[in-house]
Amino acid sequence: MSLSARPSRPIEERIPVVLATGAAGRFGRFFVQSLHREHRVVAVDRRPVRGLPKDVTHVRTDLRLRPVEDLFRRYDVRAVVHLGIVHNPRASEEGYRFNVVGTQRLLELVAKHQVPKLVFLSSANIYGPHPDNSHFLTEDAPLLGADGFPNIRDLVAVDQLAQSFFYKQPGIETVLLRPVHIVGPRVKNAPSNYLRLERPWVISGFDPMIQLIHESDAVAALMRALAPGIRGVFNVVGPEAAPLSRVLQVLGRKTRSVPGPVARALLDRAFRFHATGFPAPEIRHIQFNCVVDGSLARRVLGFEPQYGLVETIRSVLGHRE
Amino acid sequence: MELIPRGRPSRRRRLARRLVSNDLRTRMARMTAELGELGVDPFGFDPETVKYAAVPLEVLYRHYFRVLTYGIENVPSGRALLVSNHSGQLPFDGMMIGAALVFDRDPPRVVRSMVEKFVPRLPFLSVFFARVGQVVGTPDNCRRLLERDEAILVFPEGARGISKTIDRRYQLERFGGGFMRLALETKTPIVPIGVVGAEEQSPAFYNIKPLAKLLHTPSFPVTPTFPLLGPLGLAPLPTRYRIYFGTPMTFDGDGDEEDAFIQERVEQVREAITALLERGLSEREGIFR
């Protein structure tokens, strides 16, 4: 008799696992490589995946589909780590539904099967770079990220879904992590791609403070969030903040200074004609501060970044340690 | 420690480097600041930039306003709230208090002041202000700076003070109470400051309020030279500045008291500043002397 044909087995016979979504992404794969050293891992992603460790079970499915629930019946899921959020400014409609509906579905399953732990990877970007921001945003700051950048409203929505889970399911240890820009040799997100540009644009007369975190430090924070007893919302901050101009100086970049309105108009057109992957509202990130206070994570999670500032910046160049 | 490639300094930087006097360089070297790997503090303050900004500032301080300071030893080394009267249409009083702490205090100190909320929207100016240690005036920013044991300059009269007309010179406007709550909460001593001289630098006899509203500025002053001579008319007169630093005042409380309790203590600070102003006015022999 095949495994899937059996009725739901008693929990004591099931294998304890940690279920990770979004495991086929560059960061997801890297995280799973750390995770599988300590836990049996079931990786869920709708994309095909290569290079996962052999003892990791990969299930290729969309979070919104039925096979996902079967995983909760088949295994003793001890924790769910939700990385499976699409950050694609182009896939707006579909991405919105995938993120919001997929997350909603996952939360329902976590509640139904009373998984003791849920770790959720959000982002500090949802506070939004804003000229009125206090210099250090704490976890209680308003989530204004979608203000002026409606395409990321789903990222704000899923963060809020996770927040409401705290009071809906007080028995489940929910951890919501909001890391600053994750960079490193593996990840290819907007901030690291920007730092890889040979001649990046900067906005004339603006030089905001930038916070980066090395991908290994971000993984370390996730691992700490899995520790029993930890719950709450945490900003996750790497080394100290630095002005954008100095970050680019470390990389030896020659910048092109473009006035704000011109940059916005040009980028808007370029993005529409698929000449660039950067949507115009992201200009705000190189214009205004979005600096967060990571002291809560330091106190409660005991998280300290291992990578220094220069090391973290240089990591985008791809020298693997 | 890795070396950070900084490239060849630009022509502007090399020129500025030549202008910075040795005296200033040694003074700046004695200033302490907790800096990160790339030479700035978490708020974006960069002592290198201050060095260059100090060059024109020194000219203003020593030769234009010919500032006299009294009691500067009253500024402690730890956290401090410097509370001053505010006047003169453009905030040269703030610049001169900052300059006094750099040029006349031993050891020199950089004062962090709280700038208006619209500053981060301004190109170039936003960066300059951040590099010389000025921070947007939110209570949270102020609290964090005090917890880092910085000296913070506040003008509790705010825009009411700086934009008042010449007939109300040396009459303090209503004081806001936010600074007192922060001082109580963070157990910070308050140093009262009286600035004499700034009140006459741009003698405004009228404030066209509708025009100010239209231009989104705190005021639209009419002085003998402005708007007659255009933006140049905003240049202040070379009045002589006298800056009086009073003895530090400490208050007991936790900052969460009722308004009446706070206002009572605010009033004491206001009276201390009034006394400093009276002293200054009796000691000076003329606006320019």
Side-chain angles (χ1 to χ4, degrees):
Chain A
M1 203 158 44
S2 82
L3 193 71
S4 54
R6 287 189 190 185
S8 189
R9 2 168 150 189
I11 193 133
E12 55 278 4
E13 281 177 32
R14 298 189 219 164
I15 311 163
V17 298
V18 172
L19 190 143
T21 68
R26 290 187 184 83
F27 181 73
R29 231 157 42 211
F30 181 48
F31 169 63
V32 166
Q33 282 164 9
S34 283
L35 187 66
H36 91 111
R37 296 197 194 112
E38 293 180 26
H39 303 275
R40 214 27 236 285
V41 181
V42 174
V44 180
D45 204 304
R46 59 177 172 172
R47 297 168 287 184
V49 58
R50 275 182 304 143
L52 279 183
K54 288 215 165 54
D55 58 346
V56 172
T57 313
H58 173 230
V59 181
R60 196 175 161 191
T61 174
D62 191 310
L63 280 180
R64 295 166 292 184
L65 300 180
R66 214 167 349 147
V68 179
E69 180 158 17
D70 235 21
L71 298 174
F72 287 85
R73 297 191 187 104
R74 191 181 308 158
Y75 299 102
D76 172 15
V77 180
R78 294 279 172 88
V80 170
V81 183
H82 187 33
L83 310 175
I85 296 167
V86 186
H87 297 243
N88 182 356
R90 284 202 197 279
S92 173
E93 278 298 304
E94 157 66 7
Y96 190 90
R97 249 170 296 149
F98 177 81
N99 285 341
V100 176
V101 180
T103 302
Q104 180 71 52
R105 179 87 185 111
L106 187 69
L107 294 181
E108 280 165 20
L109 292 176
V110 169
K112 182 177 169 191
H113 296 270
Q114 283 298 304
V115 176
K117 182 126 215 158
L118 171 70
V119 178
F120 196 103
L121 189 70
S122 181
S123 155
N125 288 338
I126 59 172
Y127 299 114
H130 214 281
D132 298 339
N133 278 349
S134 242
H135 198 90
F136 285 97
L137 301 167
T138 61
E139 287 78 0
D140 298 324
L143 306 179
L144 300 175
D147 171 25
F149 194 1
N151 280 10
I152 70 158
R153 68 195 190 280
D154 50 335
L155 305 186
V156 176
V158 290
D159 185 282
Q160 281 165 341
L161 274 179
Q163 283 187 59
S164 62
F165 204 64
F166 280 97
Y167 72 85
K168 281 186 189 156
Q169 295 295 333
I172 295 174
E173 279 179 12
T174 307
V175 187
L176 180 52
L177 297 183
R178 294 183 184 148
V180 298
H181 301 309
I182 300 175
V183 298
R186 294 172 187 83
V187 295
K188 291 204 163 52
N189 50 9
S192 63
N193 288 342
Y194 172 77
L195 293 177
R196 286 187 190 102
L197 296 174
E198 275 307 317
R199 295 214 56 188
W201 283 11
V202 293
I203 304 303
S204 313
F206 290 95
D207 193 10
M209 300 295 281
I210 298 290
Q211 281 174 309
L212 305 170
I213 184 168
H214 192 277
E215 54 190 23
S216 300
D217 280 332
V219 165
L222 280 168
M223 296 302 286
R224 280 187 178 268
L226 281 168
I230 299 287
R231 54 187 302 156
V233 185
F234 301 100
N235 292 333
V236 180
V237 172
E240 74 274 11
L244 176 65
S245 61
R246 309 238 166 141
V247 171
L248 294 171
Q249 228 167 31
V250 168
L251 294 167
R253 302 289 186 227
K254 279 202 162 73
T255 56
R256 238 187 272 265
S257 182
V258 187
V262 177
R264 210 153 288 142
L266 287 177
L267 204 57
D268 197 37
R269 278 190 193 112
F271 185 73
R272 245 183 292 146
F273 292 112
H274 291 255
T276 172
F278 296 101
E282 285 199 347
I283 284 178
R284 295 166 75 87
H285 280 285
I286 55 171
Q287 191 169 15
F288 303 120
N289 283 340
C290 177
V291 177
V292 300
D293 177 352
S295 58
L296 189 68
R298 217 172 304 132
R299 271 201 319 277
V300 179
L301 284 184
F303 169 72
E304 284 291 345
Q306 299 302 306
Y307 287 77
L309 183 56
V310 173
E311 231 177 333
T312 302
I313 297 168
R314 291 227 171 116
S315 71
V316 301
L317 299 176
H319 307 300
R320 301 216 179 164
E321 54 272 43
Chain B
M1 186 72 197
E2 274 183 283
L3 269 178
I4 298 154
R6 284 197 165 243
R8 189 175 145 80
S10 66
R11 192 173 300 162
R12 203 175 49 203
R13 282 237 147 172
R14 271 178 288 151
L15 180 70
R17 202 163 285 179
R18 224 175 304 149
L19 286 172
V20 179
S21 68
N22 278 334
D23 174 55
L24 182 58
R25 222 184 290 271
T26 45
R27 291 195 75 80
M28 300 305 285
R30 293 175 58 207
M31 268 185 340
T32 48
E34 272 175 61
L35 303 178
E37 262 180 78
L38 298 185
V40 294
D41 89 345
F43 285 87
F45 165 56
D46 172 23
E48 276 295 304
T49 310
V50 174
K51 212 178 278 179
Y52 301 123
V55 174
L57 190 66
E58 194 170 14
V59 175
L60 275 180
Y61 184 78
R62 297 229 190 268
H63 306 292
Y64 196 81
F65 293 117
R66 297 151 290 136
V67 182
L68 300 173
T69 58
Y70 303 91
I72 198 156
E73 64 282 354
N74 284 325
V75 179
S77 298
R79 65 180 69 169
L81 265 174
L82 313 180
V83 179
S84 166
N85 61 320
H86 203 18
S87 60
Q89 310 305 332
L90 288 177
F92 286 101
D93 48 358
M95 286 166 66
M96 290 306 114
I97 293 171
L101 289 171
V102 171
F103 301 124
D104 282 336
R105 184 181 183 272
D106 266 310
R109 247 195 119 157
V110 163
V111 63
R112 317 287 296 252
S113 59
M114 308 263 107
V115 299
E116 288 288 341
K117 280 208 168 172
F118 61 76
V119 167
R121 292 176 199 270
L122 306 175
F124 302 103
L125 222 50
S126 58
V127 180
F128 175 75
F129 274 129
R131 295 297 166 270
V132 298
Q134 312 309 299
V135 176
V136 176
T138 68
D140 184 64
N141 287 344
C142 190
R143 192 176 301 120
R144 282 172 194 275
L145 284 167
L146 288 174
E147 276 159 9
R148 287 172 64 91
D149 287 332
E150 301 277 359
I152 295 173
L153 175 62
V154 288
F155 297 110
E157 294 171 276
R160 290 186 297 278
I162 193 167
S163 54
K164 69 187 169 190
T165 46
I166 190 74
D167 53 306
R168 287 184 291 149
R169 62 188 180 277
Y170 301 110
Q171 293 167 24
L172 294 177
E173 295 288 316
R174 184 175 60 77
F175 271 36
F179 78 93
M180 182 56 72
R181 289 191 188 278
L182 281 167
L184 293 175
E185 189 188 325
T186 56
K187 311 251 174 290
T188 306
I190 289 175
V191 180
I193 300 176
V195 180
V196 173
E199 308 250 356
E200 290 95 351
Q201 73 189 11
S202 294
F205 42 84
Y206 195 70
N207 178 9
I208 310 177
K209 282 182 183 149
L211 210 50
K213 207 167 176 186
L214 201 71
L215 297 171
H216 296 288
T217 55
S219 70
F220 192 90
V222 181
T223 71
T225 51
F226 183 81
L228 201 66
L229 301 182
L232 268 182
L234 276 173
L237 299 172
T239 53
R240 187 192 271 282
Y241 265 52
R242 291 160 173 270
I243 305 179
Y244 294 85
F245 293 87
T247 43
M249 309 167 80
T250 46
F251 299 95
D252 282 327
D254 58 12
D256 203 20
E257 292 85 359
E258 285 182 30
D259 274 339
F261 178 95
I262 299 292
Q263 274 309 320
E264 211 174 282
R265 279 142 191 85
V266 169
E267 207 46 45
Q268 290 178 35
V269 177
R270 196 165 179 261
E271 276 160 21
I273 295 173
T274 309
L276 292 170
L277 290 177
E278 275 165 10
R279 182 183 152 200
L281 289 172
S282 67
E283 280 180 15
R284 76 168 175 181
E285 289 156 357
I287 294 173
F288 299 99
R289 295 173 63 197

